[in-house]
Amino acid sequence: SSGINAEYGDNEREKIYTLAEQIDSQLQQMSGDITEVVEHLNSVNTSNQDEGNPMYQISKILNMHMDALVWIDQHSTVLQKKVEDVSVLCEARKKEQANNFKMAFE
């Protein structure tokens, strides 16, 4: 039973880790795309600082989105570190259970 639980835990951990990697990759791509758009809009917008100008408003919105994506990126790195920590703990627990199982039947 503990072998099945350990295998299930390993599978779940792998799924979570893969998902975290995919999300991180997508966020990095989105961040790069938005950075390009914001830089382009900022270069076009330097002479048009009128707050009523739609390009200025779009630029402000995209800058806020960029700030949000940077925040998400920073926190996804923290999340990835936590997933790695859980992975290490699961491996240690798995080894401990295997050792306990061996001792029980020796």
Side-chain angles (χ1 to χ4, degrees), residues 22-73:
Q22 290 172 349
I23 290 170
D24 184 54
S25 175
Q26 290 172 356
L27 287 173
Q28 287 178 5
Q29 179 64 41
M30 287 172 42
S31 178
D33 292 346
I34 290 177
T35 298
E36 289 178 27
V37 171
V38 168
E39 287 173 355
H40 175 72
L41 287 174
N42 283 342
S43 69
V44 169
N45 223 10
T46 55
S47 62
N48 299 323
Q49 295 296 319
D50 177 24
E51 289 192 19
N53 183 335
M55 290 300 284
Y56 178 74
Q57 292 173 353
I58 290 170
S59 178
K60 282 182 68 175
I61 291 168
L62 289 174
N63 280 329
M64 287 186 278
H65 286 168
M66 185 64 191
D67 291 343
L69 286 172
V70 167
W71 182 88
I72 290 169
D73 183 50

Side-chain angles (χ1 to χ4, degrees), residues 56-106:
Y56 178 74
Q57 292 173 353
I58 290 170
S59 178
K60 282 182 68 175
I61 291 168
L62 289 174
N63 280 329
M64 287 186 278
H65 286 168
M66 185 64 191
D67 291 343
L69 286 172
V70 167
W71 182 88
I72 290 169
D73 183 50
Q74 291 169 345
H75 286 83
S76 70
T77 302
V78 170
L79 177 61
Q80 185 172 2
K81 172 71 172 117
K82 288 181 179 182
V83 168
E84 289 170 1
D85 291 346
V86 168
S87 175
V88 169
L89 289 173
C90 284
E91 283 299 316
R93 181 70 176 150
K94 182 179 172 183
K95 287 178 183 178
E96 180 183 328
Q97 287 178 345
N99 287 338
N100 288 343
F101 184 75
K102 283 181 188 177
M103 286 192 296
F105 290 99
E106 289 182 350

